[in-house]
Amino acid sequence: MIAVVTLLLAAPLGFFVRSRLAANGAYAVAYLWAFVFQGVYLMLDSLGGGADPAFRPGEFPLAYGLVTAGVLVAGFALVAAGHWAADRRRARAGRLVVAAGTAPA
């Protein structure tokens, strides 16, 4: 779930939201919502005696924490990549407008 939220929202937020703080904040809120939802779902499955639970009762899920932290970092990288792409597009569009405006008639 958190990987899907990251793939669907991180780069578009970086591309369409001009403020880096707002884009990173919106991504963090969406990620945290998905993380809590996924964590509760997996915990209920393991406590309810599911056939193949993600967590074993009594064990600390370190691998799960590392993977989810990696997804969070990858999401922030996608937000930064979206900002980079948007900045390049805006700069290229600005150059074309300035070049067209300064050309002799």
Side-chain angles (χ1 to χ4, degrees), residues 19 43 68 90:
S19 169
M43 185 174 38
T68 55
R90 287 183 199 114

Side-chain angles (χ1 to χ4, degrees), residues 11-72:
L13 280 170
F15 190 82
F16 293 114
V17 178
R18 283 187 181 242
S19 169
R20 289 184 188 272
L21 180 63
N24 283 324
Y27 167 67
V29 167
Y31 172 87
L32 290 174
W33 173 84
F35 177 76
V36 169
F37 185 85
Q38 177 177 299
V40 169
Y41 177 81
L42 293 174
M43 185 174 38
L44 289 174
D45 184 45
S46 71
L47 293 176
D52 189 22
F55 309 134
R56 305 242 183 262
E59 292 181 16
F60 184 73
L62 180 63
Y64 176 73
L66 293 175
V67 168
T68 55
V71 171
L72 178 66

Side-chain angles (χ1 to χ4, degrees), residues 3-20 22-24 26-27 74-86 90:
V4 171
V5 167
T6 296
L7 291 175
L8 290 178
L9 293 180
L13 280 170
F15 190 82
F16 293 114
V17 178
R18 283 187 181 242
S19 169
R20 289 184 188 272
N24 283 324
Y27 167 67
F76 283 126
L78 285 172
V79 171
H83 270 293
W84 177 80
R90 287 183 199 114

